[in-house]
Amino acid sequence: MKPASPLSRFWAEFRESKVAFVALAIVVALVGVALAAPLIAPQNPYALADLVLMDARRPPGYVGSGGFTHILGTDAQGRDLFSAILYGLRISLQMGLIAGFIAFVVGVSLGLGAAYMGGRREAFIMRIIDLQLAFPAILLALVLSALLGQGKAQLITALVAAQYAYFARTAHGAAAAERGKDYVEAALSTPLPGWKVVFRHILPNCLPPLIVVATVQVANAIALEATLSFLGVGLPVTEPSLGALIANGFQYMLSGRYWISIYPGVALIVLIVAINLVGDQIRDQVNPRLKR
Amino acid sequence: MSDAFLDICNVSRRFAPRISFGQKIAAKLGQRVDARVTHAVDGVSLTVARGEALGLVGESGCGKSTLGRVVAGILPPSEGTTAVAGEPVMAHGRKTTTRVQMIFQDPFASLDPRMQVGDTIAEGPLAHGLTTKAQAPAYVGKWLTTVGLDPAFAARYPHQFSGGQRQRIAIARALAMQPDMLVCDEPVASLDVSIQAQIINLFLKLRRELGLTMLFISHDLGVVRHLCDRVAIMYLGRIVELGETQAVYAKPQHPYTQALLDSVPKLVLADGVTTSFKPIAGELPSPLSPPAGCHFHLRCPLVQERCRQERPKLREVAKGRLSACHFAPL
């Protein structure tokens, strides 16, 4: 008899929570439509030549000069909002995932390294990270974006700089607890080189809390990117993310053309809430103290 | 001693409390900060001959585990050196030899919970070229068989095993490094009594078949008697008595050893003669502020004025017998 693998047991438990299951389905669906945006979207919002200014700021349901129905209306440039949201979702997710991944690698390496080395080097690294955590992430990201200018690479740099500290903090805490355990000492006394012990033994045992932080931080990176784009320091207007779409429509809010801001906003909220719900469920499952 | 295989030379290990930045400031401002150093091991010299099993016995907190960790190369000594067959165990704060391997007390903590036990066993030998990736499964199987387990267990995780099985896996991991010497830190203390016997028999078998040298750390006098050729008694970081196991048990040459032996609970004999046991009076003094003179003088029935002033030297009181008591031989 083969015992159930830890992963399949985890999945079985995950499915028990209806909220988390629905949230996961929404995340998967949103990622799916974001990936398939060029296939689904009725219009390519980046093809500026295709835009017709006559169609600008039309309400949902308007049949435009392209011959199709703008189910969510159009924005100030005459772009089909539904298409723009799909492409915006694509960019938001891309930025969030890439920035989250790099921040994970950088932060976790620093946190694990600090916990393994100990002593002054640990104190030095962790105090810098504490210092950085004392500043609001948005402030740091804003300053960096302003200094680096617009563009995907610059934006990712700013997001990573604002977020790696959370990963470092979590990794350090978990690794410091593992560091003193017998199995780590056993591996070190073999002897094995330090980096092998860190990556083969300490890191796998620190993963559960890190996965939780990673989920939440991807959602935070998306929100942060949206905020930066809303403030106009994120991505260029030619490739609008959800945040930029909200910003574009903001000036028309009071003139009754609510749809330009509201629908991208709804997409953003649904995405972030769904990711957070999935993250919450994972956190509850990896934390044995919350087990029933 | 020329036949010294393990040579522990004047090893001390101190632990200084970590002083935080705030405490440093407080100390600068004239506040009293408790920064006393713990002398866990205090100038211990020991030798173990090739193939010999030396028992290291003492109460909790006497420094026997710390000494074991120094010998196994987990902790660097504050002073002194340890060498196996002339090869230093550590250099520049890193363990350099593979000839000493350690077996830990708690087999629930000493195996990586997220690694298949086969990978845990193969990891060290692969890193040190004792086997190859292709031969690793057979190599692991061989050592699992040696410790009395099914080679098919290699693909399982530690949580799928009982305590005794895990301790066998930990032993297989140590043996797979093909060491000459094992440091066993209370390897049976966390196991059921019935399992203890199996593991002790396994150690006896391994000693016989592999010619292993062993440093066996325990607080259990019965286990040590069963397994060890010689025994060293430790009290508050120092060796107080050393000798052949049988001789030490028959005629202790230090009042602490005597007290330890008296404190072992014994069975009521069939003819109605009960052998009472006496716990040792008093508590182990704090290693933060050990008493002056003989460390044992606060609890010793033979104490005299000299014991409070003068630290007794560990000296030979009979052939092969060392004692750190002013009044030995007793």
Side-chain angles (χ1 to χ4, degrees):
Chain A
M1 194 190 77
K2 194 172 177 292
S5 80
L7 208 62
S8 70
R9 268 185 290 141
F10 193 88
W11 173 235
E13 199 180 321
F14 189 94
R15 264 188 326 196
E16 278 178 26
S17 162
K18 288 202 177 66
V19 174
F21 187 70
V22 171
L24 183 67
I26 291 174
V27 173
V28 170
L30 287 178
V31 171
V33 296
L35 283 176
L39 304 175
I40 304 173
Q43 188 190 48
N44 180 355
Y46 298 161
L48 299 176
D50 294 353
L51 302 181
V52 182
L53 268 179
M54 283 282 290
D55 294 338
R57 300 191 288 277
R58 297 296 185 179
Y62 172 81
V63 181
S65 49
F68 58 87
T69 309
H70 298 288
I71 52 170
L72 296 180
T74 60
D75 73 359
Q77 280 83 42
R79 259 192 295 237
D80 175 46
L81 256 182
F82 178 65
S83 310
I85 287 173
L86 290 184
Y87 277 82
L89 201 59
R90 198 174 154 90
I91 293 179
S92 288
L93 273 169
Q94 193 187 359
M95 293 295 108
L97 288 173
I98 294 177
F101 178 75
I102 298 176
F104 182 94
V105 172
V106 173
V108 168
S109 306
L110 278 173
L112 289 182
Y116 174 72
M117 291 186 292
R120 283 177 184 211
R121 285 174 289 184
E122 176 183 24
F124 181 74
I125 294 173
M126 294 319 293
R127 288 305 83 76
I128 286 181
I129 282 163
D130 285 346
L131 199 67
Q132 198 188 319
L133 284 171
F135 288 97
I138 179 74
L139 182 66
L140 200 73
L142 201 56
V143 170
L144 268 175
S145 297
L147 287 177
L148 296 171
Q150 287 190 330
K152 281 188 177 176
Q154 288 89 332
L155 182 68
I156 288 172
T157 312
L159 292 177
V160 168
Q163 298 212 295
Y164 82 96
Y166 294 95
F167 288 102
R169 190 76 257 174
T170 310
H172 175 260
E178 297 299 321
R179 175 72 177 84
K181 291 194 177 163
D182 279 354
Y183 72 86
V184 174
E185 294 204 330
L188 284 172
S189 76
T190 301
L192 292 175
W195 63 268
K196 255 193 184 170
V197 177
V198 169
F199 287 106
R200 288 183 53 119
H201 294 283
I202 298 181
L203 177 59
N205 283 287
C206 294
L207 271 184
L210 286 174
I211 290 169
V212 175
V213 174
T215 324
V216 175
Q217 286 302 319
V218 166
N220 283 352
I222 292 171
L224 199 54
E225 183 277 325
T227 311
L228 292 176
S229 293
F230 181 79
L231 295 173
V233 292
L235 292 171
V237 276
T238 50
E239 285 181 72
S241 70
L242 292 175
L245 291 176
I246 297 171
N248 286 344
F250 195 60
Q251 51 186 311
Y252 304 106
M253 280 289 273
L254 292 178
S255 57
R257 299 186 179 95
Y258 62 90
W259 58 88
I260 308 179
S261 274
I262 292 292
Y263 291 123
V266 169
L268 184 66
I269 290 171
V270 169
L271 177 64
I272 291 174
V273 169
I275 295 178
N276 272 310
L277 286 174
V278 172
D280 279 357
Q281 176 65 19
I282 298 176
R283 187 198 57 210
D284 291 353
Q285 278 185 237
V286 299
N287 187 343
R289 269 173 294 182
L290 293 177
K291 282 262 164 72
R292 294 141 293 170
Chain B
M1 239 187 276
S2 60
D3 60 347
F5 180 67
L6 169 71
D7 190 4
I8 303 172
C9 184
N10 202 21
V11 162
S12 294
R13 174 69 208 195
R14 293 181 292 269
F15 293 101
R18 269 182 73 157
I19 301 176
S20 72
F21 187 61
Q23 284 175 315
K24 272 184 197 162
I25 294 174
K28 280 260 158 57
L29 294 174
Q31 291 286 315
R32 276 182 30 172
V33 174
D34 193 5
R36 283 175 303 177
V37 174
T38 310
H39 290 262
V41 177
D42 187 6
V44 167
S45 293
L46 274 177
T47 56
V48 185
R50 183 181 276 277
E52 185 186 39
L54 176 71
L56 190 57
V57 177
E59 281 169 279
S60 301
C62 73
K64 56 192 193 297
S65 285
T66 304
L67 181 60
R69 275 162 197 255
V70 170
V71 172
I74 292 172
L75 284 174
S78 304
E79 272 161 31
T81 54
T82 52
V84 174
E87 191 184 337
V89 172
M90 293 187 104
H92 309 296
R94 288 179 170 279
K95 187 175 180 184
T96 48
T97 183
T98 62
R99 307 180 76 167
V100 187
Q101 294 294 324
M102 174 131 177
I103 291 164
F104 293 81
Q105 172 172 358
D106 183 2
F108 288 85
S110 68
L111 298 172
D112 185 342
R114 289 182 190 271
M115 204 182 244
Q116 291 178 4
V117 299
D119 292 338
T120 299
I121 294 170
E123 189 179 30
L126 282 172
H128 289 276
L130 296 173
T131 184
T132 60
K133 267 226 152 64
Q135 287 163 347
Y139 189 78
V140 168
K142 177 184 127 188
W143 289 110
L144 281 173
T145 313
T146 308
V147 298
L149 291 176
D150 184 345
F153 287 176
R156 295 198 187 170
Y157 287 88
H159 73 262
Q160 294 170 285
F161 294 100
S162 69
Q165 286 173 319
R166 287 188 200 206
Q167 196 60 291
R168 285 174 193 266
I169 292 162
I171 294 168
R173 168 177 61 187
L175 292 178
M177 289 304 295
Q178 301 178 14
D180 300 308
M181 167 147 196
L182 287 183
V183 174
C184 310
D185 185 4
E186 308 244 17
V188 297
S190 62
L191 303 175
D192 283 356
V193 177
S194 58
I195 311 293
Q196 284 189 6
Q198 294 176 14
I199 298 292
I200 289 165
N201 286 335
L202 175 63
F203 277 123
L204 285 170
K205 182 187 107 159
L206 292 174
R207 265 194 75 193
R208 206 167 49 235
E209 291 175 2
L210 302 172
L212 289 168
T213 308
M214 283 171 58
L215 180 64
F216 196 90
I217 299 162
S218 183
H219 62 262
D220 186 333
L221 291 159
V223 169
V224 169
R225 174 178 223 161
H226 198 63
L227 208 60
C228 298
D229 308 313
R230 283 197 308 154
V231 59
I233 313 289
M234 206 165 166
Y235 187 76
L236 217 63
R238 295 175 185 166
I239 303 288
V240 295
E241 180 166 4
L242 177 72
E244 302 282 333
T245 308
Q246 296 310 326
V248 170
Y249 279 57
K251 198 168 186 310
Q253 289 298 335
H254 193 283
Y256 178 61
T257 315
Q258 180 65 55
L260 266 186
L261 289 168
D262 286 345
S263 71
V264 176
K266 294 180 189 76
L267 291 175
V268 180
L269 301 174
D271 55 1
V273 182
T274 55
T275 53
S276 61
F277 73 93
K278 306 173 268 186
I280 306 174
E283 304 260 325
L284 190 72
S286 164
L288 284 170
S289 50
C294 176
H295 277 171
F296 191 55
H297 80 250
L298 294 170
R299 304 163 82 182
C300 183
L302 307 177
V303 62
Q304 296 198 6
E305 195 49 39
R306 185 185 176 196
C307 307
R308 301 195 177 94
Q309 315 286 339
E310 188 187 335
R311 174 181 170 174
K313 283 201 181 69
L314 187 64
R315 62 201 164 84
E316 189 153 25
V317 293
K319 189 174 162 15
R321 284 297 288 285
L322 301 179
S323 168
C325 180
H326 290 308
F327 310 115
L330 296 170

